[in-house]
């Protein structure tokens, strides 16, 4: 048995035109979870802006959104650089209009023991995940305030922001900062009708997975071994459109009184505990076996 499967991909969760005449900017929206969220916003009438450093990823996202008949603009941008972010917003506004919803999805991660992590490795993750989220959010808020308009920010967090995790000191610390930032900004900007929430996804299989990060993924193909579902209390992994539904709800008028919240979408996986825990394996050994 497992948790019931969701309605089929393409099924509407919100009214068809919930995001009509709105512009949704998604960082890292060309692949994986970002693309899945972009698709659901587009289905609900949004014009989509995708920001990424990778031209191939931008092309993938553009193709997916155009296939739905929605408007899409792609912009090359390094979100670690505030000047590039401001320029990206300018370009998006010229093409689509002012941004109404910002999804801070861009991230980076790779497993490494802390004592072997270089300063550059630390910065490469923390600057994208935490600095980039802050820079994009404040640029968005300043523009909303200038035109006296409300808006919604959705940050993408992680459940190990609360627990930490071996091999992810850089990412876990950065995601913890994102969770805290979500709460701080929600209080500051609520009087200005700018809501700030966070999503903490569980395991959603897709073709863009980093093969070294997820148990049950072989070669980054998004195909799971037979044990993948058995590692999750729900008895199954998430389906991409489920995350898209959660994102579109939290940024919609139907969540107008929800701000400062982190919604976990993971089939209860991060809460899993047993009377007898499995044998502990040091992170160095885990990574060494993976790299063989």
């Amino acid at each position: 048995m497992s948790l019931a499967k969701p309605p089929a991909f393409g099924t509407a969760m919100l009214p068809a035109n919930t995001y009509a005449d709105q512009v949704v900017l998604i960082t890292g929206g060309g692949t994986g979870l970002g693309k899945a969220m972009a698709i659901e916003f587009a289905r609900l009438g949004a014009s989509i802006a995708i920001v990424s450093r990778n031209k191939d990823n931008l092309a993938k996202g553009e193709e997916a959104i155009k296939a739905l008949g929605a408007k899409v603009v792609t912009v090359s941008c390094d979100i670690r650089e505030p000047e590039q972010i401001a320029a990206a917003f300018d370009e998006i506004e010229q093409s689509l209009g002012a941004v109404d919803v910002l999804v801070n999805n861009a991230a980076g991660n790779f497993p490494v023991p802390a004592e072997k992590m270089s300063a550059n490795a630390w910065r490469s993750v923390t600057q994208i995940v935490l600095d980039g989220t802050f820079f994009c959010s404040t640029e968005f808020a300043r523009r909303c305030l200038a035109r006296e308009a409300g808006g919604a920010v959705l940050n993408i967090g992680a459940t190990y922001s609360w627990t930490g995790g071996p091999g992810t000191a850089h990412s876990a610390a950065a995601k913890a900062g994102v969770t805290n930032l979500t709460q701080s900004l929600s209080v500051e900007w609520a009087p200005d009708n700018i809501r700030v929430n966070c999503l903490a996804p569980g395991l959603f299989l897709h073709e863009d997975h980093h093969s070294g990060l997820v148990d049950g993924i072989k070669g980054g193909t998004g195909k799971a071994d037979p044990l993948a579902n058995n590692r999750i209390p729900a008895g199954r992994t998430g389906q991409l459109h489920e995350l898209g539904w959660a994102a579109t709800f939290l940024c919609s008028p139907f969540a107008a009184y929800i701000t400062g919240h982190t919604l976990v979408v993971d089939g209860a996986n991060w809460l899993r505990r047993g009377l007898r825990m499995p044998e502990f394996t040091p992170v160095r050994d885990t990574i060494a076996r993976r790299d063989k």
Side-chain angles (χ1 to χ4, degrees):
M1 291 291 288
S2 66
L3 287 182
K5 291 183 178 180
F9 173 65
T11 304
M13 187 191 80
L14 296 172
N17 293 316
T18 296
Y19 288 94
D21 302 321
Q22 293 196 44
V23 177
V24 177
L25 190 167
I26 303 179
T27 65
T31 57
L33 303 185
K35 183 171 71 175
M37 289 184 283
I39 286 172
E40 295 305 324
F41 278 107
R43 288 186 188 280
L44 294 171
S47 297
I48 305 297
I50 298 173
V51 167
S52 174
R53 289 182 295 167
N54 188 303
K55 292 183 179 179
D56 290 338
N57 291 348
L58 289 174
K60 291 177 183 177
E62 183 177 26
E63 180 182 10
I65 301 305
K66 282 186 173 179
L68 298 172
K71 293 181 180 179
V72 59
V73 166
T74 61
V75 182
S76 179
C77 173
D78 185 342
I79 63 169
R80 297 172 296 183
E81 302 295 338
E83 296 80 8
Q84 291 191 33
I85 294 169
F89 269 85
D90 287 341
E91 185 173 342
I92 292 163
E93 287 181 0
Q94 291 171 7
S95 299
L96 298 176
V99 175
D100 301 286
V101 174
L102 168 66
V103 180
N104 288 307
N105 169 73
N109 197 8
F110 47 87
V112 58
E115 75 278 6
K116 294 183 178 180
M117 189 182 302
S118 68
N120 283 339
W122 172 266
R123 294 189 190 104
S124 70
V125 172
T126 59
Q127 288 181 346
I128 293 172
V129 174
L130 182 54
D131 294 0
T133 294
F134 178 75
F135 294 151
C136 289
S137 297
T138 50
E139 182 66 32
F140 172 72
R142 282 191 290 267
R143 291 173 185 250
C144 288
L145 292 171
R147 60 191 178 96
E148 297 183 343
V153 177
L154 182 64
N155 298 324
I156 305 303
T159 56
Y160 58 75
S161 68
W162 297 304
T163 64
T168 61
H170 47 357
S171 178
K175 290 293 190 181
V178 169
T179 299
N180 187 276
L181 184 65
T182 298
Q183 296 167 331
S184 296
L185 297 182
S186 69
V187 176
E188 287 195 29
W189 295 341
D192 304 300
N193 192 27
I194 300 173
R195 296 186 299 110
V196 187
N197 288 298
C198 185
L199 268 181
L203 180 53
F204 290 82
L205 300 183
H206 56 82
E207 69 277 8
D208 304 307
H209 263 303
H210 187 299
S211 59
L213 289 175
V214 183
D215 286 340
I217 306 293
K218 295 185 177 180
T221 62
K223 296 181 179 179
D225 69 18
L227 295 179
N229 292 336
N230 295 337
R231 293 189 174 104
I232 301 172
R236 66 173 179 87
T237 58
Q239 296 190 18
L240 287 173
H241 56 289
E242 291 182 276
L243 190 70
W245 288 339
T248 54
F249 167 70
L250 283 176
C251 297
S252 76
F254 299 95
Y257 201 53
I258 300 174
T259 191
H261 180 67
T262 295
L263 176 63
V264 178
V265 187
D266 81 337
N269 197 42
W270 91 280
L271 297 171
R272 183 183 63 181
R273 293 292 184 272
L275 295 175
R276 183 177 181 181
M277 298 298 288
E279 181 179 353
F280 175 75
T281 304
V283 64
R284 300 170 198 85
D285 296 342
T286 302
I287 293 176
R289 285 203 300 265
R290 185 208 71 191
D291 291 340
K292 286 182 179 179

